[in-house]
């Protein structure tokens, strides 16, 4: 096992580049009552260097998303009467084929339509990495028919409760052995694990990184959606999945630290962290 301490450098940006050089990131999620999660994820992808960001949301959520994120390409998906996505493989085929990396889960929900959408996502094409977050992980833990489990090479971003459901362990056991649990799961399933929490652990089973940025200021709903969005944007640049996860986790925590210095921890919102992301990238070498 190799312990990694160095933060990977930011991918280079040529002065003569165009948007196609910086990757196309797809975010699938959102539902009635949970639209904000998908918006935060897509907003973070836009703030993390992706050349294009696609956001696929239920039809009812589409007007809100399109108005809130004019820089994103927003696609309406078929939905259930409850307002959760109910997409088929045909519905997702084009956005997934165009994507260099794709994320599913923020605000997705766990109803029957969300299950069918996840099945379509897991069987669909994508040229780069897949990120599974939030409700997508809960659906995998519950068993998604026909999915074949987690695709090898995926990146998953569970908190301790979601990892407990994925492994069948008690949450307390996951917390007590965070490093070992993450490594074992990564080795067994051939995925990169980002086990969120104080000292977030990133591992592909061979390399392991423990993050030092961030604080209790991140202990609020929506911050995990930001991390997932940062990660899918970096994967769209075709960076090594483990290195992309390390860079995403570090930058996410750094943005939170910068916002906390200005605002304090209690009054911060995920939007404040999103606003601090450009300064975090500058501190990491962007210019």
């Amino acid at each position: 096992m190799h312990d990694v301490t160095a933060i990977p450098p930011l991918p280079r940006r040529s002065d003569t580049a165009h948007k196609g050089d910086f990757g196309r990131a797809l975010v699938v999620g959102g539902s009635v009552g949970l639209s904000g999660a998908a918006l935060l994820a897509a907003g973070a992808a836009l703030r993390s260097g992706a050349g294009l960001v696609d956001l696929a949301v239920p039809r009812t959520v589409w007007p809100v998303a399109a108005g809130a994120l004019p820089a994103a390409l927003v696609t309406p998906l078929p939905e259930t009467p409850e307002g959760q996505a109910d997409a088929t493989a045909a519905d997702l085929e084009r956005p997934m084929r165009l994507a260099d990396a794709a994320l599913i889960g923020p605000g997705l929900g766990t109803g029957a339509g969300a299950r069918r959408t996840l099945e379509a996502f897991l069987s669909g094409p994508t040229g780069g990495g897949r990120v599974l977050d939030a409700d997508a992980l809960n659906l995998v833990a519950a068993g998604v028919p026909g999915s074949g489990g987690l695709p090898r090479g995926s990146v998953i971003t569970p908190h301790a409760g979601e990892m407990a459901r994925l492994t069948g362990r008690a949450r307390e056991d996951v917390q007590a052995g965070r490093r070992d649990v993450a490594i074992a799961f990564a080795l067994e399933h051939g995925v990169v694990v980002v086990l969120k929490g104080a000292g977030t652990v990133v591992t592909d089973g061979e390399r392991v990184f423990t993050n030092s940025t961030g604080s209790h200021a991140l202990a609020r709903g929506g911050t995990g959606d930001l991390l997932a969005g940062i990660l899918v944007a970096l994967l769209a640049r075709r960076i090594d999945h483990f290195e992309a996860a390390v860079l995403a986790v570090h930058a996410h925590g750094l943005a939170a630290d910068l916002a906390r210095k200005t605002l304090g921890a209690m009054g911060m919102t995920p939007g404040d962290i999103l606003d601090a992301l450009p300064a975090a990238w500058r501190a990491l070498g962007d210019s």
Side-chain angles (χ1 to χ4, degrees):
M1 181 59 57
H2 175 53
D3 284 286
V4 173
T5 57
I7 306 304
L10 296 185
R12 295 184 57 133
R13 296 175 68 92
S14 167
D15 289 340
T16 59
H18 58 82
K19 62 189 176 186
D21 294 326
F22 300 126
R24 187 164 184 153
L26 170 65
V27 176
V28 180
S31 57
V32 172
L34 295 171
S35 58
L39 294 177
L40 286 169
L46 287 166
R47 290 281 196 176
S48 299
L52 289 166
V53 175
D54 287 316
L55 175 58
V57 294
R59 189 172 289 112
T60 299
V61 176
W62 176 82
V64 175
L69 292 176
L73 305 170
V74 186
T75 300
L77 296 175
E79 63 183 18
T80 66
E82 297 76 28
Q84 293 186 4
D86 193 2
T88 66
D91 295 319
L92 290 180
E93 192 278 333
R94 185 175 187 276
M96 291 195 69
R97 175 169 45 83
L98 293 174
D100 294 295
L103 158 68
I104 190 168
L108 183 69
T110 56
R115 291 174 66 87
R116 288 187 287 269
T117 301
L118 178 58
E119 291 171 20
F121 178 93
L122 292 175
S123 64
T126 181
R130 297 176 207 255
V131 182
L132 279 75
D133 180 53
D135 284 333
L137 296 175
N138 292 325
L139 286 166
V140 168
V144 179
S147 70
L150 293 166
R152 297 186 74 81
S154 300
V155 184
I156 65 169
T157 56
H159 55 56
E162 290 159 348
M163 183 57 101
R165 288 187 280 277
L166 286 168
T167 59
R169 294 170 176 256
R171 187 181 188 280
E172 293 75 15
D173 291 342
V174 171
Q175 283 290 72
R178 291 167 51 79
R179 176 186 166 102
D180 291 342
V181 170
I183 291 169
F185 194 92
L187 283 171
E188 180 180 356
H189 296 276
V191 299
V192 173
V193 174
V194 178
L195 182 52
K196 298 180 293 192
T200 292
V201 176
V202 180
T203 183
D204 60 2
E206 300 295 335
R207 297 168 287 181
V208 62
F209 170 81
T210 302
N211 191 47
S212 60
T213 59
S215 70
H216 56 83
L218 285 165
R220 49 183 25 98
T223 58
D225 305 311
L226 295 175
L227 174 59
I230 296 168
L231 179 52
V232 75
L234 294 175
L235 289 177
R237 298 290 302 277
R238 305 300 182 98
I239 304 172
D240 172 84
H241 291 189
F242 172 80
E243 292 187 355
V246 169
L247 184 54
V249 165
H250 182 80
H252 176 253
L254 179 57
D257 291 342
L258 293 172
R260 182 184 177 190
K261 284 181 181 179
T262 302
L263 302 170
M266 288 183 65
M268 284 172 51
T269 70
D272 297 320
I273 300 170
L274 183 62
D275 290 342
L277 262 177
W281 294 128
R282 286 291 299 273
L284 290 171
D286 184 33
S287 61

